[in-house]
C-alpha cells in the first residue's frame, strides 16, 4: 500500500529518481520545453519550481542551494541570468504541462512541459484582442450582401475619404495617358 506517500516514485530508486529529475530540470532550463511522459512531467514540476523560485533572488546562498541539486554551471548561468529575472514578478506557476496524447509503443500518456514565460505562441495572447477587432471589421463585410444599405453607409464614410485623396492622383495619371 502507498499510505502517506506524497510523491510518485516513478518505478525507480531514490538515487535514480533524483538523478533523472535533475537531468530533466537541466534540459527544461536549457531548452525551455521538453517532451516526456505525463507522470514524469508532473514529478518534474514539483522538482523544478522550487529551484526556479530560488533563482529569483540571486544570492550566493541561493546559487549554492540550486547547484547542490543541478551540478551544472551552464544551467546556473541560464537560470540566474535569464530565467530568474524574467519570472521575478510571477508568484509561482513557472511551468505548464500540455497533454499530447498516447505513445504508440506502450500507450503511455505523453505531454510536454515548458516554462510559461518563454513560450512564444502563448505569449501572443494579447494579440488575440487585435484578431477580435479584425473579425469585427470583417463582420460588416460579411453583412454587406445581406444588408446592403446599412453596410454601405458604414463602409462609405471611411472609404470615401481614402478614394477622394486617391481620385485626383488617378485622374492626373489618366490625363497624361489620354494626351
Amino acid at each position: 500500500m502507498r499510505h502517506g506517500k506524497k510523491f510518485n516514485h516513478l518505478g525507480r530508486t531514490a538515487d535514480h529518481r533524483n538523478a533523472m529529475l535533475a537531468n530533466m530540470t537541466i534540459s527544461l532550463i536549457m531548452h525551455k520545453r521538453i517532451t516526456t511522459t505525463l507522470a514524469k512531467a508532473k514529478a518534474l514540476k514539483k522538482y523544478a519550481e522550487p529551484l526556479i523560485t530560488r533563482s529569483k533572488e540571486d544570492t550566493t546562498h541561493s546559487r549554492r542551494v540550486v547547484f547542490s541539486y543541478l551540478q551544472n554551471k551552464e544551467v546556473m548561468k541560464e537560470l540566474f541570468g535569464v530565467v530568474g529575472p524574467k519570472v521575478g514578478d510571477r508568484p509561482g506557476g513557472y511551468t505548464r504541462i500540455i497533454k499530447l496524447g498516447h505513445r504508440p509503443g506502450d500507450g503511455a500518456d505523453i505531454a510536454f512541459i515548458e516554462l510559461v514565460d518563454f513560450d512564444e505562441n502563448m505569449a501572443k495572447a494579447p494579440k488575440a484582442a487585435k484578431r477580435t477587432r479584425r473579425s469585427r471589421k470583417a463582420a460588416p463585410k460579411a453583412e454587406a450582401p445581406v444588408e446592403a444599405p446599412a453596410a454601405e453607409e458604414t463602409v462609405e464614410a471611411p472609404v470615401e475619404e481614402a478614394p477622394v485623396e486617391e481620385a485626383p492622383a488617378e485622374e492626373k495619371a489618366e490625363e497624361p495617358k489620354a494626351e
Side-chain angles (χ1 to χ4, degrees):
M1 290 187 280
R2 57 178 312 272
H3 295 299
K5 306 294 189 222
K6 297 281 186 179
F7 59 92
N8 191 346
H9 294 280
L10 301 171
R12 290 163 170 81
T13 63
D15 290 338
H16 185 188
R17 186 174 51 254
N18 290 335
M20 181 192 67
L21 291 173
N23 287 333
M24 289 175 68
T25 304
I26 289 169
S27 296
L28 177 65
I29 292 168
M30 293 305 289
H31 300 292
K32 310 300 188 263
R33 173 190 286 183
I34 58 172
T35 304
T36 184
T37 63
L38 184 60
K40 287 180 188 175
K42 289 178 178 180
L44 177 61
K45 185 170 190 160
K46 289 183 179 182
Y47 188 88
E49 291 213 0
L51 299 178
I52 296 171
T53 301
R54 283 278 186 182
S55 73
K56 290 164 65 172
E57 185 179 350
D58 190 4
T59 62
T60 304
H61 179 65
S62 296
R63 284 179 173 270
R64 287 179 176 167
V65 169
V66 173
F67 189 76
S68 70
Y69 285 93
L70 299 182
Q71 300 289 320
N72 190 321
K73 290 181 181 180
E74 294 174 10
V75 171
M76 296 294 291
K77 290 177 187 174
E78 183 76 14
L79 183 61
F80 283 92
V82 178
V83 177
K86 193 159 186 177
V87 300
D89 58 341
R90 183 178 288 275
Y94 312 112
T95 57
R96 173 188 299 126
I97 297 174
I98 299 179
K99 297 176 186 176
L100 297 176
H102 304 290
R103 189 162 50 198
D106 60 356
D109 292 329
I110 297 296
F112 66 74
I113 181 169
E114 64 184 357
L115 296 176
V116 173
D117 292 327
F118 291 90
D119 184 18
E120 298 168 359
N121 296 329
M122 296 290 184
K124 293 181 182 178
K127 293 184 181 180
K130 292 181 181 178
R131 291 180 186 163
T132 305
R133 291 177 191 152
R134 289 179 189 160
S135 66
R136 289 178 191 158
K137 290 180 183 177
K141 292 179 183 177
E143 293 175 4
V146 178
E147 300 177 21
E152 289 177 6
E153 292 175 4
T154 58
V155 173
E156 285 182 26
V159 174
E160 286 181 44
E161 295 174 3
V164 170
E165 296 171 1
E166 295 175 5
E170 291 175 2
E171 292 173 3
K172 291 177 183 177
E174 291 176 6
E175 291 174 359
K177 290 179 184 176
E179 291 177 336

